[in-house]
């Protein structure tokens, strides 16, 4: 089948909730992907950090195949022999006390919201149904109703209401705004260490440290959404390490499975997760043995193969070389580790597509046929 045939078929039968580039990929290996016409690309998006380990990593693939032959899903009505191992390995690696496994990133976010609200009522003593969670403008935490309800992206939230109350939005990178927004009903502050979907927005130096102090002082849970920044992408296992802090709840997903399978988790430093008792939260697929086996191996190769150091070193090199490019279409180049963005000049961009169209990830460089240096932006 030809590229255009795939595209037409997809457009005819698929929901139109995405507008992908017209490249039909069929194979991936490491940092490379190939389209159905045989063109080879360097994948700089890495599925928004879900394939930090590279496409089709052989060791993760093997773990998945071996486990798929043995046992895939038990439900949590029974125990399985992979979950405890994932728990222990994840806690030791991230210096956490407790783990709650889910599937998608959005589910990890929802889990955290449920935990901190319940903690607010039962531990902090917040009046019933008054709990507030502070989030940042231009956040991206996923696509469920509760989450889009506190998005500031109109396209993501318009006409999906009514939304859940209890969220307060402050500017990103502004610790004074955080301090001012806190009330006796505030249970948590949830933030991305670097805003990914907003266009790799790096907050001012010391912001997370200050946020950590403010949360501590006010008995507010600090939730870091590291679903995109975590697991090596920024040159550290977790981006919180760049400021030497520890969140109370850390959300990870995406690269937790190296792209093989949706696996997410809530990592808890304080015992916030302990607030949940049997029957109060769960997921049929969360913590299944196939997911656990894949996640264990995805974490193992990240560490064993020095991928985190590699992201730090190659990212610094990449960024410094990119900054040498002079092109009037480039407004800014920024990043940390291999989480890098090139922001286009506004010229063509004030179109109907809004901000996501003007701030683009360094998507992919077409290497064979028709290669032209300008295609990368
Ligand atoms: C991708 C992402 C999510 C949502 O993850 P899904 O697996 O798509 O539900 C949440 N937060 C951040 C920061 C993300 O990048």
């Amino acid at each position: 089948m030809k590229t255009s045939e795939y595209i037409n078929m997809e457009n005819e039968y698929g929901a139109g909730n995405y507008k992908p580039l017209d490249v039909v990929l069929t194979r991936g290996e490491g940092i490379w992907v190939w389209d159905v016409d045989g063109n080879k690309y360097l994948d700089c998006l890495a599925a928004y950090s879900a394939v930090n380990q590279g496409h089709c990593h052989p060791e993760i693939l093997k773990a998945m195949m071996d486990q798929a032959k043995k046992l895939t899903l038990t439900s949590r009505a029974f125990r399985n022999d992979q979950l405890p191992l994932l728990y222990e390995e994840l806690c030791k690696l991230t210096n956490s006390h407790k783990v709650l496994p889910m599937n998608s990133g959005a589910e990890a976010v929802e889990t955290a919201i449920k935990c901190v609200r319940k903690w607010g009522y039962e531990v902090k003593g917040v009046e019933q149904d008054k709990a507030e969670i502070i989030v940042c403008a231009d956040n991206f935490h996923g696509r469920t109703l509760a989450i889009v309800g506190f998005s500031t992206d109109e396209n993501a939230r318009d006409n999906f209401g009514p939304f859940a109350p209890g969220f307060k939005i402050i500017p990103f990178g502004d610790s004074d705004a955080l301090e001012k927004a806190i009330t006796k009903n505030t249970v948590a502050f949830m933030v991305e260490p670097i805003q990914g979907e907003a266009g790799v927005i790096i907050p001012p130096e010391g912001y997370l440290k200050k946020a950590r102090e403010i949360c501590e002082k006010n008995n507010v849970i600090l939730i870091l959404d590291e679903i995109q920044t975590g697991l090596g992408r920024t040159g550290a296992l977790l981006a919180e390490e760049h400021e030497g802090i520890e969140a109370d709840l850390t959300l990870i997903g995406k690269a937790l499975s190296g792209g093989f399978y949706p696996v997410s988790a809530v990592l808890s430093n304080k015992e916030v997760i302990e607030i949940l008792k049997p029957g109060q939260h769960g997921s049929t697929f969360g913590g299944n043995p196939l997911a656990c086996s894949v996640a264990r191996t995805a974490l193992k190769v990240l560490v064993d193969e020095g991928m985190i150091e590699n992201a730090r070193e190659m990212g610094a090199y990449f960024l410094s070389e990119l900054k040498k490019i002079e092109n009037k279409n480039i407004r800014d180049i920024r990043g940390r580790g291999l989480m890098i963005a090139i922001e286009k000049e506004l010229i063509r961009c004030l179109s109907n597509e809004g901000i996501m169209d003007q701030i683009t990830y360094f998507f992919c460089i077409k290497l064979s046929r028709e290669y032209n240096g300008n295609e990368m932006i």
Side-chain angles (χ1 to χ4, degrees), residues 18 47-49 103-109 139-144 147 192-197 225-229 251 253-254 262-264 339 361:
Y18 277 96
Y48 306 96
S49 276
N103 312 287
S104 66
E107 286 176 314
V109 174
N139 67 71
F140 183 83
H141 297 289
R143 298 292 194 169
T144 62
I147 295 169
E192 300 155 79
I194 294 172
Q195 286 190 326
E197 295 309 282
D225 180 345
E226 295 242 26
I227 291 166
Q228 190 163 148
T229 53
L251 314 180
K254 295 202 163 102
V263 188
S264 67
M339 190 168 175
Y361 260 104

Side-chain angles (χ1 to χ4, degrees), residues 230-248:
L231 306 180
R233 185 83 187 199
T234 69
L237 179 70
L238 295 171
E240 65 175 22
E241 292 166 33
H242 296 299
E243 294 210 0
I245 63 151
E246 280 187 8
D248 299 305

Side-chain angles (χ1 to χ4, degrees), residues 272-286:
V272 186
I273 273 179
E274 304 256 276
I275 206 79
L276 295 174
K277 299 288 178 281
Q280 296 175 347
H281 188 59
S283 157
T284 303
F285 279 83

Side-chain angles (χ1 to χ4, degrees), residues 91-311:
C91 281
K92 288 196 167 149
L93 188 63
T94 61
N95 198 24
S96 309
H97 301 154
K98 289 269 176 184
V99 180
L100 194 155
M102 296 294 282
N103 312 287
S104 66
E107 286 176 314
V109 174
E110 291 270 346
T111 302
I113 293 170
K114 288 173 77 174
C115 283
V116 297
R117 281 183 169 178
K118 203 166 174 57
W119 172 88
Y121 301 125
E122 296 175 13
V123 179
K124 186 168 177 172
V126 172
E127 194 186 326
Q128 201 57 49
D129 288 341
K130 291 278 178 4
E132 285 171 2
I133 296 170
I134 300 171
V135 297
C136 288
D138 299 323
N139 67 71
F140 183 83
H141 297 289
R143 298 292 194 169
T144 62
L145 273 174
I147 295 169
V148 297
F150 56 80
S151 169
T152 56
D153 174 359
E154 283 176 22
N155 203 26
R157 56 175 277 132
D158 264 12
N159 292 332
F160 293 123
F163 297 118
F167 299 95
K168 205 182 241 182
I169 299 166
I170 60 167
F172 180 65
D174 183 345
S175 47
D176 290 340
L178 172 62
E179 196 141 35
K180 284 199 199 96
I182 291 175
T183 70
K184 64 179 193 332
N185 295 328
T186 306
V187 294
F189 172 50
M190 177 163 68
V191 65
E192 300 155 79
I194 294 172
Q195 286 190 326
E197 295 309 282
V200 186
I201 309 296
I202 302 170
E205 179 94 38
Y207 173 61
L208 294 178
K209 209 167 188 170
K210 197 80 221 287
R212 174 70 281 182
E213 284 166 22
I214 294 168
C215 287
E216 200 74 53
K217 199 171 81 190
N218 293 283
N219 197 20
V220 166
I221 304 293
L222 176 63
I223 307 171
L224 288 185
D225 180 345
E226 295 242 26
I227 291 166
Q228 190 163 148
T229 53
L231 306 180
R233 185 83 187 199
T234 69
L237 179 70
L238 295 171
E240 65 175 22
E241 292 166 33
H242 296 299
E243 294 210 0
I245 63 151
E246 280 187 8
D248 299 305
L249 295 182
T250 301
L251 314 180
I252 55 172
K254 295 202 163 102
L256 185 52
S257 67
F260 279 87
Y261 199 90
V263 188
S264 67
V266 178
L267 308 174
S268 174
N269 280 335
K270 272 192 190 167
E271 309 300 6
V272 186
I273 273 179
E274 304 256 276
I275 206 79
L276 295 174
K277 299 288 178 281
Q280 296 175 347
H281 188 59
S283 157
T284 303
F285 279 83
N288 74 71
L290 185 58
C292 293
S293 164
V294 166
R296 291 179 60 210
T297 316
L299 292 170
K300 181 175 176 290
V301 302
L302 206 61
V303 174
D304 287 0
E305 297 183 20
M307 290 180 181
I308 301 166
E309 297 75 25
N310 184 62

